[in-house]
Amino acid sequence: MLAASQFQYWSKLSSGSVFAPEFPRAIILLFNWASGTILFLALMQLLADVTLFALWLVPGRAGTMADELRYMMAALAALLAAIAVFNATRVPSLKDVEIGITGLPPQFDGYTLVQLTDLHISRLFPAAWTRAVVDRTNALNVDLIVVTGDVIDGSLAMRRADVEPLRDLRARDGVYMSPGNHEYFLGYQEWMRHFASMGMHLLANEHVILERDHGHVLLAGVTDVTAPATGMPPPDLSAALANAPKAMPILLLDHQPGSARKTAEHGVALQLSGHTHGGMMPGLDRLVALGNDGFVSGLYTVDGMALYVNNGTGIWPGFAMRLRRPSELTRITLRRTI
C-alpha cells in the first residue's frame, strides 16, 4: 500500500515528470488499480468509523465490525478500482450532441464536428489506442475535427511513435487544435511544430474563417491559463478575435472551461472545452467543479453562450479512473436557431 500510494513519486523518478510515467503499460495499470483500491477502501473505512461511532453513542449498543465484513470491504474496493481503471482506459464510445446556435448561417445547419480532448497519449494510451481513436473518428466522416488540448504526456522523443496515428485524422474542413496545460509542461514549442507537420492547425490566440456555400463561421482558439508560467503568452480572446468580421457566429476552442463567463462577454456563440475529465466519478466531480467555476461535464448555457465541457477522450495516466463519468468520442451537430 505504501509503494502504491507513491505512484506519482515513482513516475517522476521514471521520467523526470509526474505527468509522464515511463513504466510498461501493465505496471501503470497496476499502479492505478492499487491506488484506486486504497482510495475506495479509505472511503469505506471512514464510513465504517462514522457508523461505529454513532452506534457507540447509543446507550447499550457496542459498535463492532466482524472481520468478514472488513474483508468484504477490501474486495469491493479492489473490484471498484478495477472497473474504474477499465472504464478510463478503453477506447471511448461515440457520444452525439446537438447544439443550437443563434444566427448560425443556414448553410451550416447540420454541420458536424468531432471534439477530441485530453487524449493524454502516453505509455497508458499508446499508438494502438491512438490508432483506434483515429479510425473511429475518420469513420464518422465529419466536416471538422477540433482538438482542445492535453494531447500528450511526455516529450516528443518519448511519444513520437505514439502520436503518429494523429497524422491520419481527416475532415472536410481540416483539423484544428488549441493547447492544453500539459503541452506547456512537456515541451510546448517542439510539440506545436510537430503537430503542425502532421497537418494540425494551431489556434493560439488566433482565428480562421470557415466557409460553406458563401456562409461563414469564425473558429478561434486561445492558449491555456498555465502558459505564462512557462514564459508563453497567456490566453487573449481579444487578440484571437482581432480584425475578425462582425456579425459572424464565433466558435471558441479553450482547454479549460473556468473562464466561460468572461468569454460570453465577447459574443462567443459556442465554447468547447475539456480539462476536467468530467470529474472522474460522483463526489469527486463536485470538487473538480469548484476549481472550474462550476463547469465540469456536459452542455451549459452561460449568459447566452453555449458551453460544452467534454469528459475527455483519454485521461491523465497518474489518476486513470472513471465511474459513471465515461470518456467520450464526441460528435457535435450544429443547429440553426432563431
Side-chain angles (χ1 to χ4, degrees), residues 3-5 8 133 179 185 187 221 233 273 296 298 300 302 318 320:
S5 70
Q8 275 70 49
V133 170
F185 302 152
S273 297
V296 66
Y300 301 85
V302 184

Side-chain angles (χ1 to χ4, degrees), residues 182-329:
H182 283 224
E183 276 77 46
Y184 290 98
F185 302 152
L186 298 159
Y188 174 81
Q189 293 180 322
E190 187 177 34
W191 270 118
M192 294 307 110
R193 288 193 295 268
H194 188 69
F195 288 143
S197 75
M198 298 172 71
M200 301 168 69
H201 306 285
L202 176 65
L203 295 176
N205 298 334
E206 301 172 80
H207 74 264
V208 296
I209 295 174
L210 306 175
E211 180 178 356
R212 170 176 281 192
D213 299 330
H214 305 294
H216 298 89
V217 166
L218 188 145
L219 177 68
V222 293
T223 59
D224 190 73
V225 294
T226 58
T230 61
M232 303 301 294
D236 188 340
L237 185 53
S238 295
L241 301 179
N243 302 315
K246 304 297 182 183
M248 188 179 293
I250 301 169
L251 311 183
L252 177 68
L253 311 182
D254 187 348
H255 177 64
Q256 301 197 36
S259 60
R261 300 187 200 282
K262 292 182 179 179
T263 298
E265 297 173 1
H266 287 77
V268 171
L270 169 63
Q271 175 177 324
L272 298 176
S273 297
H275 183 64
T276 65
H277 302 158
M280 282 77 79
M281 60 189 71
L284 185 57
D285 60 347
R286 295 301 90 204
L287 293 177
V288 174
L290 290 175
N292 292 275
D293 199 24
F295 307 120
V296 66
S297 178
L299 186 61
Y300 301 85
T301 300
V302 184
D303 300 330
M305 178 188 79
L307 166 67
Y308 187 75
V309 184
N310 194 306
N311 284 356
T313 316
I315 199 168
W316 176 47
F319 191 83
M321 288 178 279
R322 290 184 182 274
L323 289 175
R324 298 183 63 192
R325 300 295 182 269
S327 53
E328 301 181 15
L329 179 61

Side-chain angles (χ1 to χ4, degrees), residues 91 127-137 165 329:
V91 177
W129 181 90
T130 309
R131 168 57 60 191
V133 170
V134 168
D135 289 347
R136 288 191 182 186
T137 300
L329 179 61

Side-chain angles (χ1 to χ4, degrees), residues 34 53 58 95 113 152:
F53 181 70
V58 178
K95 180 177 181 179
L113 60 96
I152 45 82

Side-chain angles (χ1 to χ4, degrees), residues 27 30 38 56 74 78 85 96 133 141 148 197 201 208 227 263:
I27 299 298
L30 185 61
I38 293 171
W56 179 76
V85 172
D96 270 309
V133 170
N141 192 31
T148 49
S197 75
H201 306 285
V208 296
T263 298

